[in-house]
Amino acid sequence: MRRVLTAALAGVAGLAFVPLCATRVLLVVPFAAVLATVVVVTARRGSLLVALAGWLVAGLPLALAFGAGTAGVPDVVRGGLVDGFRMALTQALPLPATPAVLFWVFTLVWWAAYWAGRAADPRVTPLLALLPPGLVLLTGIGFGVSQPGRGLPVAALFAGLAALLLAVRSGAGLRRTLVAAVTCAVVVLGALTAAARLPYEGKRPVFDPRALVHPPEQLEHQLSPLAYASLWAAEPPRRLLTLTTAAPVNQRLAVFDHYDGLDWSSGASYVPVGSRLPAGGRPGRSVRESVAVDALPFAWLPAPDRATEVTGTLVRVDRTAGVLTTAGGHAATGLRYSVTARVPSLTARQAADATPAYGPAYRDTLDVPADVPPSILADAERLTRNAVSPYQRLLTLQDRLRTQDRYDVRAAPGRTVGHLHFFYDKSHRGTADQFATVFALMARHLGFPARIAVGFTPGHPVGGGRYEVTTADVVVWPEVALRGLGWVPFYPVPRAGDGGGTIGRSVGEPPERAALDRTVAARGTSAQPKQTAAARTAPASPGASVYRWWPVALLPLLLLAGYLLPGPVTRALTRMRRRSGTPYEQVVGAWQETVDALARLPGAGDLTTSTAEEVTEHTRGRLGDVAGAHMESLARHLSASVFSGRPAGEADAAAAWLIVARMRALVDGRVTRAQRFRELVRPPWAAVRRTVKETK
């Protein structure tokens, strides 16, 4: 039973690597945990040599059979011994399930199961059996810290199995072991229920160990897509790429989140990744497309928002924004690849209830340079004064730029505050990046984290599900971070030549988004009570959308408390009752309390039916002459109170309870930690029944 539990602990610890390496890990973890335990049980002599041989004989074929791609045996062995930790710290999650990665996980689980099985011997402290699988669990959870909440169910299951192993190692009987198992199951089920409901967003960013090992590579010495956007828009249409898809959507190239008054820059950093990309963002509809790049002079790759899989070429990814680049940093011209994405969707209800996102991760996206034209900031406040929701404030800003200014591809390019002043206050004609910049600064001034993105519209169809994207399809749009919705794009750029109008489609805006904006904008100011500016922009309290589930999260804790608390509470109330009443009742209660304390000693049996002399001799034999003398004195106080004609006084009661305190201290010194744990998980109904019987 002990080694079955150690094998289960090692297997559960291996489950912590599922968020790192995807479900393919499940194909090797059970084999590693079970086979290593079989080696411990069957190989009594030379088990270490047998374990070494079994690790190679079993691990290599499994990794090669279940791993994605092909690899030589030396590469797989090196991956299991050296490169596994390096890959986990330098590549974006999830890791590609290559043979080397699977062999690395197999190695960790194998040796955790082996050493835990060896430490399961009754002569070894039980904590040593928990150490190897515990280290594997911490490794998996630590490397997956960028995906909060994923490790909670695994950790809860590990804790439950660990508690059950300690109960078995302590020599508890079948009944007590079953009680411990039920308690552990309640805790595990409670954690599984609460895992998806708990708020994981803290007041500071989660520490990621990857930042200490290898700084992610940034793209240097390349002209950014934002610089090309104005040039492309002003030149005659020229084909840049071709999309093949059944659901055409906008293509993102790059995201820029820092504005210093001169230009935009990006804090993105890129790490290698396999075909599967890090998951993130809110749920959306699945989109798959094939991309054929004809002429892109930089490393950024066009793809739908929130790509989840890329095949046909090696890529790097910025884990925060989901932006893709070529693996080697070379130009994308000539590449052919396929992309699968979960394009975020938005409903009118979500938009109407949205509030600005907040937190340390958005600090840089709220900065507004001091020399931004005052008219831009003043208009942001004035125009949105009567908006009834944060989203309507953003629509008001969008409508202001669409109706009062004109999009002109021949306008003077530039994104400095001087260019913005000329565009907004004088010419009212600007480029797409100027529209996006003004909108982003207005939103930031109102308390919305904002940035800008550059990409393409889907282009125009050429037949057979193919869409040709030219330089005329380049577009720049702002994005605003809304709580619970992620980065939501807005489209303030009016169509070229339009003289203005109400909220409707503009450059880059999908038809469904235009309809949604019209629905939200149609909710007039009379539909809701007027809000102050502070109330409109103040972020909701952290976890507000999660606290409605607090009964579900607290249910397992209440069940556990309902099981553990009645016993200690009943014993405390019984002690208080015994110390109250007349001196005679206090002396009798002191004797009962001492007999209960002696019953805690291993093998003490039932002392309630023994005479005072028998209890005294039993105490002398178990705890020594000092304890025997205390019990003899307490027995005299009891006999005098019960059988003598002199009634017991306050001095007799005080002396009796002083002996109780001394006896409890002596008994506590003899009770082991295992015994204390058994007392903690002991079913409470026995203590309750005894208390009821005493009071009758």
Side-chain angles (χ1 to χ4, degrees):
M1 180 64 178
R2 295 189 302 272
R3 289 192 171 92
V4 171
L5 289 175
T6 58
L9 282 170
V12 169
L15 297 181
F17 287 85
V18 172
L20 275 72
C21 315
T23 55
R24 199 180 290 252
V25 171
L26 298 176
L27 300 175
V28 299
V29 166
F31 287 103
V34 173
L35 293 178
T37 305
V38 170
V39 169
V40 174
V41 174
T42 57
R44 296 296 182 182
R45 294 183 178 180
S47 63
L48 182 57
L49 295 177
V50 176
L52 283 169
W55 165 59
L56 292 172
V57 171
L60 286 174
L62 287 172
L64 291 170
F66 296 136
T70 59
V73 172
D75 294 333
V76 175
V77 174
R78 185 174 63 251
L81 296 178
V82 179
D83 292 344
F85 290 97
R86 179 186 60 79
M87 289 186 293
L89 291 171
T90 58
Q91 295 190 20
L93 302 182
L95 299 176
T98 61
V101 171
L102 294 187
F103 188 64
W104 172 57
V105 177
F106 181 91
T107 299
L108 294 177
V109 176
W110 175 278
W111 291 112
Y114 173 78
W115 291 114
R118 291 286 300 272
D121 190 285
R123 295 168 295 182
V124 181
T125 176
L127 293 179
L128 287 180
L130 300 178
L131 183 60
L135 292 176
V136 173
L137 176 72
L138 292 177
T139 301
I141 293 179
F143 286 167
V145 71
S146 60
Q147 299 176 317
R150 296 288 187 90
L152 179 60
V154 176
L157 184 57
F158 185 91
L161 290 174
L164 189 58
L165 176 63
L166 293 176
V168 172
R169 284 289 305 272
S170 64
L174 178 61
R175 180 179 177 182
R176 292 179 178 176
T177 301
L178 290 177
V179 171
V182 171
T183 303
C184 296
V186 170
V187 173
V188 171
L189 291 176
L192 292 174
T193 303
R197 307 298 183 188
L198 295 178
Y200 296 103
E201 184 178 6
K203 295 184 179 180
R204 53 184 177 181
V206 177
F207 171 73
D208 193 339
R210 295 171 184 80
L212 298 178
V213 177
H214 186 275
E217 187 173 353
Q218 294 184 332
L219 295 179
E220 303 290 348
H221 310 300
Q222 291 197 27
L223 196 60
S224 77
L226 189 59
Y228 278 100
S230 298
L231 299 176
W232 283 340
E235 70 178 39
R238 172 171 52 91
R239 189 175 67 185
L240 298 177
L241 58 130
T242 302
L243 305 177
T244 303
T245 179
V249 295
N250 286 346
Q251 308 291 303
R252 284 208 313 176
L253 274 175
V255 169
F256 301 88
D257 46 15
H258 299 277
Y259 182 73
D260 58 5
L262 297 177
D263 203 355
W264 287 92
S265 61
S266 173
S269 53
Y270 303 90
V271 293
V273 69
S275 61
R276 294 181 65 247
L277 305 181
R282 62 188 188 274
R285 59 190 178 99
S286 179
V287 173
R288 181 171 177 80
E289 65 183 27
S290 297
V291 184
V293 181
D294 294 306
L296 289 180
F298 38 67
W300 286 272
L301 296 176
D305 188 14
R306 294 303 164 190
T308 58
E309 184 178 6
V310 177
T311 58
T313 187
L314 297 177
V315 300
R316 290 180 298 166
V317 64
D318 172 43
R319 290 190 294 258
T320 302
V323 174
L324 305 178
T325 71
T326 58
H330 53 79
T333 301
L335 285 182
R336 302 290 187 271
Y337 58 94
S338 297
V339 182
T340 302
R342 298 288 298 180
V343 178
S345 57
L346 185 66
T347 65
R349 176 65 181 274
Q350 290 174 328
D353 296 340
T355 57
Y358 61 92
Y362 302 105
R363 185 179 298 114
D364 292 339
T365 57
L366 286 169
D367 291 341
V368 178
D371 51 353
V372 169
S375 57
I376 294 178
L377 308 183
D379 280 358
E381 295 182 3
R382 178 181 59 82
L383 294 171
T384 61
R385 189 173 296 123
N386 295 323
V388 299
S389 69
Y391 193 86
Q392 282 196 4
R393 304 186 82 189
L394 297 171
L395 292 183
T396 301
L397 300 180
Q398 181 175 260
D399 190 39
R400 159 61 179 82
L401 291 169
R402 289 180 179 181
T403 58
Q404 302 299 318
D405 302 296
R406 295 174 65 86
Y407 174 40
D408 187 352
V409 297
R410 292 176 296 277
R415 294 166 292 276
T416 68
V417 292
H419 288 92
L420 300 184
H421 169 65
F422 182 77
F423 155 60
Y424 192 81
D425 294 328
K426 296 183 178 181
S427 70
H428 300 287
R429 305 172 74 91
T431 58
D433 52 341
Q434 292 171 352
F435 276 87
T437 300
V438 169
F439 181 95
L441 292 175
M442 283 181 160
R444 288 185 176 190
H445 181 67
L446 297 177
F448 294 87
R451 65 188 187 187
I452 69 171
V454 59
F456 302 102
T457 63
H460 59 278
V462 292
R466 296 169 63 247
Y467 295 81
E468 189 174 275
V469 179
T470 69
T471 53
D473 297 312
V474 66
V475 62
V476 182
W477 64 85
E479 295 181 342
V480 175
L482 299 177
R483 188 167 181 268
L485 301 178
W487 289 96
V488 178
F490 285 83
Y491 306 94
V493 183
R495 293 187 178 276
D498 284 358
T502 58
I503 293 180
R505 290 192 62 189
S506 65
V507 176
E509 185 176 35
E512 61 274 12
R513 177 61 183 277
L516 181 144
D517 286 353
R518 285 194 296 270
T519 300
V520 178
R523 300 181 179 182
T525 56
S526 61
Q528 299 182 24
K530 187 175 180 179
Q531 298 174 314
T532 64
R536 288 193 299 264
T537 58
S541 59
S545 62
V546 191
Y547 289 160
R548 70 187 65 175
W549 297 98
W550 64 267
V552 178
L554 288 181
L555 179 60
L557 297 178
L558 293 176
L559 293 176
L560 183 62
Y563 176 81
L564 295 179
L565 290 181
V569 170
T570 302
R571 288 189 286 270
L573 292 176
T574 300
R575 189 177 305 115
M576 293 174 58
R577 179 178 53 79
R578 288 170 175 173
R579 293 204 64 169
S580 61
T582 65
Y584 165 78
E585 293 173 337
Q586 292 186 49
V587 172
V588 175
W591 177 263
Q592 294 172 331
E593 189 72 18
T594 306
V595 170
D596 287 348
L598 293 172
R600 297 176 61 200
L601 296 172
D606 187 7
L607 298 177
T608 57
T609 58
S610 301
T611 64
E613 291 77 9
E614 291 173 342
V615 173
T616 301
E617 291 303 318
H618 175 82
T619 304
R620 196 184 305 276
R622 299 297 300 272
L623 298 178
D625 292 337
V626 175
H630 289 324
M631 285 302 298
E632 188 174 352
S633 176
L634 182 59
R636 286 197 300 269
H637 285 291
L638 178 66
S639 298
S641 300
V642 175
F643 300 110
S644 69
R646 181 184 65 84
E650 296 291 342
D652 297 317
W657 278 96
L658 179 61
I659 294 174
V660 171
R662 293 172 177 172
M663 290 300 300
R664 290 182 62 190
L666 292 173
V667 171
D668 287 340
R670 296 294 183 89
V671 174
T672 64
R673 292 180 179 178
Q675 173 67 19
R676 290 192 180 96
F677 177 75
R678 288 197 296 269
E679 291 175 354
L680 178 64
V681 300
R682 179 181 300 161
W685 41 85
V688 176
R689 283 200 303 266
R690 182 171 180 178
T691 301
V692 173
K693 185 177 179 180
E694 275 188 27
T695 56
K696 287 183 177 180

